[in-house]
Amino acid sequence: MKRVITFGTFDVLHVGHVRILQRARALGDYLIVGVSTDALNFSKKQKRPVYSQFDRLEIVKSIAGVDEVFFEHSLELKGEYIKQFSADVLVMGNDWEGRFDEYKSLCEVVYLPRTEGISTTELLAEIRASA
Ligand code: C2G
């Protein structure tokens, strides 16, 4: 049984998020998703997600193929999470290409191409413009 782990904010869920989760799941038999907390987001991007971490966790958990979810409290804890959840593969979008290569000593590290033409940031800009 191959266990896959991935991480993200997954705010204002869109097809790019769904596709990366499905492609991550297809690399193994069990998918664990670390949903970044509001505090982690704020420290990383200086902004609050639209949906709270509790809503984002609940939404991600409801997606077919997602077997387990947890809160990612810090980017630096990835190694700990990989060990804690006994992950065999770490999957990240290629916007993070090369950033997590240090974990290759713990598990396989795979960067998957992002879905072109969609992002939460662009969606929010469109919503603001048309509101
Ligand atoms: N993604 C994608 N295609 C898009 C948008 C996002 O494949 N058009 C992927 C990203 O590459 C990422 C995942 O969806 O792997 C979640 O994206 P975000 O919510 O933007 O996650 P991010 O804020 O990058 O958080 O520990 C790392 C962080 O938690 C990652």
Side-chain angles (χ1 to χ4, degrees):
M1 165 131 144
K2 206 166 175 182
R3 294 166 65 87
V4 182
I5 194 165
T6 192
F7 297 86
T9 309
F10 303 103
D11 192 27
V12 188
L13 200 85
H14 58 66
V15 74
H17 296 139
V18 172
R19 286 185 190 157
I20 198 152
L21 292 173
Q22 289 176 342
R23 285 181 294 157
R25 179 61 163 75
L27 295 176
D29 312 289
Y30 192 87
L31 178 61
I32 304 140
V33 185
V35 175
S36 53
T37 59
D38 295 337
L40 170 56
N41 256 270
F42 200 75
S43 68
K44 211 169 55 171
K45 303 179 185 168
Q46 278 71 55
K47 58 183 182 193
R48 293 220 166 277
V50 176
Y51 294 152
S52 77
Q53 62 191 49
F54 303 102
D55 287 1
R56 290 184 287 109
L57 190 90
E58 190 176 331
I59 291 166
V60 171
K61 196 176 168 201
S62 75
I63 295 173
V66 173
D67 296 293
E68 195 171 340
V69 290
F70 69 98
F71 284 125
E72 177 192 28
H73 290 281
S74 161
L75 294 181
E76 281 70 46
L77 287 175
K78 281 214 170 46
E80 298 309 313
Y81 295 133
I82 290 167
K83 286 187 241 169
Q84 187 184 333
F85 291 98
S86 309
D88 303 294
V89 191
L90 167 64
V91 173
M92 296 298 298
N94 64 356
D95 43 328
W96 294 91
E97 187 79 51
R99 290 278 300 277
F100 300 114
D101 285 356
E102 63 187 283
Y103 302 116
K104 284 183 178 169
S105 57
L106 293 176
C107 67
E108 200 182 322
V109 179
V110 177
Y111 302 97
L112 293 177
R114 281 170 67 95
T115 299
E116 298 288 326
I118 192 158
S119 75
T120 299
T121 311
E122 284 167 54
L123 278 174
L124 293 180
E126 278 172 38
I127 293 166
R128 270 189 215 105
S130 65

